[in-house]
Amino acid sequence: MQVKINRNFDNLVTNYLFADVARKTAAYAAAHPGEKIIRLGIGDVTLPLAPVVVEALKRGADEMGLKETFKGYPEYEGYGFLRTAIADYYKSFGVKVSADEIFVSDGAKSDCGNIGDIFSRDNTVLVTDPVYPVYVDSSIMAGRNIIYASCNEQNGFVAMPDDSVKADIIYLCSPNNPTGAAFTFEQLREWVDYANRHDAVILYDAAYEAFVTEDLPRSIFAVEGARTCAIEFCSLSKTAGFTGTRCGYTVIPKELERDGHNMYATWYRRQATKFNGVSYPVQCAAAAVFSAEGQSQIRENLAYYQENARIIASALDELGVFYTGGTNSPYIWLKCPNGMGSWEFFDYLLQQAQVVGTPGEGFGENGAGYFRLTSFGDRDNTVEAVARIKRLLS
Ligand SMILES: *Cc1c(COP(=O)(O)O)cnc(C)c1O
């Protein structure tokens, strides 16, 4: 007998997107020393943690160093003080979620992928195209059938449900990575109604909810009917600069049932088996994000990124380039000018303006001919990159 590996891994398509971007950028830099390259392709935050968050992290570490306050294994679902703070945060924008429906985790990526553990292999998964690759690759690893809902210029990169399509598990991300497009309440309501009608479950990724500035949903639970069909993932990564600190949370309403099983109880059982929780200092830091002081401090960082996004978007407005995002999202998804392909535009921008972005086709077929810029960069660099882009395209 020989060990057999999960052959579903053979079905993963190797995505060279970020490797190719890095390789082409490095080659250009080597051939043109002294030229300043500006990177607007990064999907990672750059501003540091807020001061109250750092204080809480240190305080948590200090407590771990004293016999009286030392903590061993945390609760599987997260400390009560953090879950209560998260529930209060939801309440602050009018959404009712109870502290005992929240699971604290090390981030949204793990939960978005791991949630598949509680569903049978024989479910059809619907994702949008373009898409955050985690939903696709984790479904492939599980051997599930995947269908795509097209996002394009005609629908403003917002896909809507179709009753003739049978999907069991539906991944939605709003505001979206990579397109920056966000659902309205009415649009999200259509998905919720579809899921309830078809006994499907929506896996809703709200990682960018804190970037919403207009009157748009920041949680799927802001929509009536969502409590009987949705699970929500959220993260402090983009909200509060936790990409390197790691903390997220998942909400499963107590009344969500499928196939005779309670989804909260099933996920609890999964977590209790495979997960031993998030470290105490990190949970202290996360709770500090939701304090009044924490909220005002993280809002300063979010405002910085939002202003970068506005600067990029207003240049595209002037140039008459079609794009989505930028208003309720750190991402700007633009149509490559003059019918250029994604990689063609990447090379053009790199060679003529020394600006690096992300070719859209790395996120799915519908990304061909599109390009993603992000607002996570430095202000001066963003301003300079935008000036170069305007010079090049006007
Ligand atoms: C960045 C991001 C996340 C956050 O992942 P973490 O594991 O919490 O860092 C989740 N979903 C999307 C779509 C993202 O872009």
Side-chain angles (χ1 to χ4, degrees):
M1 277 299 277
Q2 249 201 328
V3 168
K4 307 275 194 303
I5 80 140
N6 177 352
R7 297 312 290 257
N8 294 322
F9 278 66
D10 296 346
N11 299 325
L12 294 168
V13 177
T14 309
N15 192 332
Y16 297 105
L17 176 71
F18 290 101
D20 283 348
V21 166
R23 186 179 49 76
K24 283 185 173 233
T25 308
Y28 182 86
H32 303 82
E35 280 188 18
K36 180 182 171 190
I37 296 173
I38 300 177
R39 289 173 175 79
L40 293 188
I42 45 162
D44 197 353
V45 293
T46 53
L47 293 174
L49 294 175
V52 283
V53 171
V54 176
E55 272 168 44
L57 198 54
K58 287 181 182 166
R59 181 174 44 75
D62 286 341
E63 286 181 39
M64 293 299 271
L66 292 173
K67 190 162 194 333
E68 296 71 32
T69 48
F70 170 78
K71 309 264 186 305
Y73 286 120
E75 285 137 36
Y76 298 122
E77 71 274 42
Y79 285 110
F81 67 82
L82 176 54
R83 288 183 290 108
T84 302
I86 295 168
D88 288 346
Y89 176 67
Y90 272 101
K91 203 193 287 170
S92 74
F93 50 86
V95 173
K96 223 178 135 233
V97 158
S98 140
D100 61 6
E101 296 174 321
I102 295 167
F103 292 88
V104 173
S105 75
D106 65 341
K109 189 192 209 179
S110 354
D111 283 4
C112 283
N114 291 335
I115 196 78
D117 275 12
I118 68 172
F119 296 102
S120 150
R121 178 177 179 277
D122 340 305
N123 281 297
T124 294
V125 179
L126 182 144
V127 299
T128 60
D129 171 9
V131 65
Y132 179 56
V134 175
Y135 318 145
V136 174
D137 287 353
S138 53
S139 301
I140 291 174
M141 288 174 187
R144 293 198 183 92
N145 177 40
I146 302 172
I147 53 176
Y148 292 86
S150 278
C151 299
N152 48 49
E153 190 172 350
Q154 286 68 45
N155 61 22
F157 283 89
V158 174
M160 296 306 297
D162 174 351
D163 273 314
S164 69
V165 171
K166 178 72 187 108
D168 306 303
I169 296 170
I170 301 161
Y171 276 103
L172 298 177
C173 175
S174 178
N176 191 269
N177 180 9
T179 71
F183 286 121
T184 63
F185 287 95
E186 294 71 28
Q187 289 168 333
L188 198 50
R189 175 69 192 258
E190 283 191 43
W191 278 107
V192 165
D193 291 346
Y194 170 97
N196 280 320
R197 247 191 335 268
H198 294 264
D199 231 12
V201 173
I202 296 174
L203 303 177
Y204 192 76
D205 187 341
Y208 296 95
E209 62 80 17
F211 288 83
V212 170
T213 53
E214 296 176 315
D215 186 23
L216 297 170
R218 289 174 60 180
S219 162
I220 195 167
F221 301 117
V223 171
E224 206 189 321
R227 292 183 58 86
T228 53
C229 69
I231 293 174
E232 178 159 296
F233 307 98
C234 203
S235 168
L236 295 182
S237 283
K238 318 301 165 27
T239 303
F242 269 55
T243 53
T245 306
R246 314 299 313 138
C247 196
Y249 46 96
T250 290
V251 179
I252 308 187
K254 285 285 172 71
E255 59 260 53
L256 180 58
E257 310 257 346
R258 283 295 180 275
D259 198 11
H261 284 67
N262 179 275
M263 298 277 91
Y264 176 94
T266 312
W267 180 243
Y268 189 98
R269 185 74 174 84
R270 187 273 173 206
Q271 289 297 77
T273 301
K274 296 194 186 179
F275 184 64
N276 255 340
V278 174
S279 82
Y280 176 70
V282 168
Q283 294 199 51
C284 292
V289 169
F290 299 105
S291 67
E293 222 183 340
Q295 285 294 297
S296 92
Q297 291 179 2
I298 64 150
R299 283 284 149 200
E300 284 175 33
N301 288 2
L302 290 168
Y304 182 94
Y305 297 137
Q306 281 158 338
E307 177 60 10
N308 283 349
R310 196 199 57 75
I311 290 165
I312 300 169
S314 72
L316 297 176
D317 284 334
E318 275 178 51
L319 292 166
V321 172
F322 172 88
Y323 68 93
T324 53
T327 314
N328 302 291
S329 158
Y331 299 118
I332 291 102
W333 178 256
L334 62 103
K335 188 177 185 176
C336 302
N338 310 317
M340 271 188 256
S342 293
W343 279 110
E344 199 183 345
F345 186 61
F346 174 89
D347 291 332
Y348 181 66
L349 214 52
L350 174 62
Q351 284 156 22
Q352 305 300 319
Q354 294 75 51
V355 172
V356 178
T358 310
E361 61 193 65
F363 301 100
E365 279 175 29
N366 284 332
Y370 286 83
F371 202 73
R372 192 189 75 174
L373 295 175
T374 85
S375 63
F376 288 130
D378 169 82
R379 172 69 45 78
D380 293 343
N381 283 342
T382 302
V383 168
E384 190 180 337
V386 162
R388 292 184 194 173
I389 292 171
K390 280 209 302 210
R391 229 177 291 133
L392 185 64
L393 299 181
S394 48

